[in-house]
Amino acid sequence: MSDAETSTGDDGPETVQINLRLTQAFLDDIDTTWEEQGFNSRSEFLRYAARDAVKHPEFSREGWKQIAASEHDLRTGEAELVSREDVLAMMDDDTDGE
């Protein structure tokens, strides 16, 4: 078994503390993300992310990589957001050629 620590709080189920090794750059990205998205703490954000990954296993690792790459492109200015109206216009343009 691991060297995880457990505790039982008055307000919920038993929790287990784990150790996780990350690069400093990745940890910086995590910290930026949880703060921007309004989470109360890094732990809350990581629990949410882990819960989401477990509840939605059909969303592949490749899908997450694509989202991360798109986010990186947006942050570095290599891509720009497209409005809903622009997407609808592009869809209309595609159907006109058929």
Side-chain angles (χ1 to χ4, degrees):
M1 192 128 175
S2 70
D3 34 322
E5 296 179 24
T6 62
S7 65
T8 305
D10 294 334
D11 57 347
E14 177 182 68
T15 61
V16 178
Q17 180 179 344
I18 62 169
N19 293 318
L20 182 65
R21 294 180 188 267
L22 306 170
T23 64
Q24 185 62 51
F26 185 46
L27 184 60
D28 293 344
D29 287 343
I30 288 171
D31 286 342
T32 299
T33 302
W34 74 259
E35 290 169 349
E36 286 176 352
Q37 293 188 7
F39 285 88
N40 292 321
S41 67
R42 180 191 294 159
S43 292
E44 180 186 12
F45 171 74
L46 291 172
R47 279 190 299 273
Y48 178 86
R51 188 179 307 115
D52 197 43
V54 169
K55 286 186 174 185
H56 304 286
E58 68 279 0
F59 196 70
S60 69
R61 184 175 179 159
E62 188 59 37
W64 285 113
K65 287 180 183 178
Q66 290 172 357
I67 289 172
S70 295
E71 179 70 20
H72 173 78
D73 290 347
L74 288 170
R75 288 182 183 201
T76 59
E78 296 174 33
E80 58 187 61
L81 290 176
V82 178
S83 71
R84 179 180 185 278
E85 292 77 22
D86 289 342
V87 170
L88 292 173
M90 287 184 269
M91 291 172 63
D92 286 342
D93 288 344
D94 287 344
T95 57
D96 292 343
E98 292 180 356

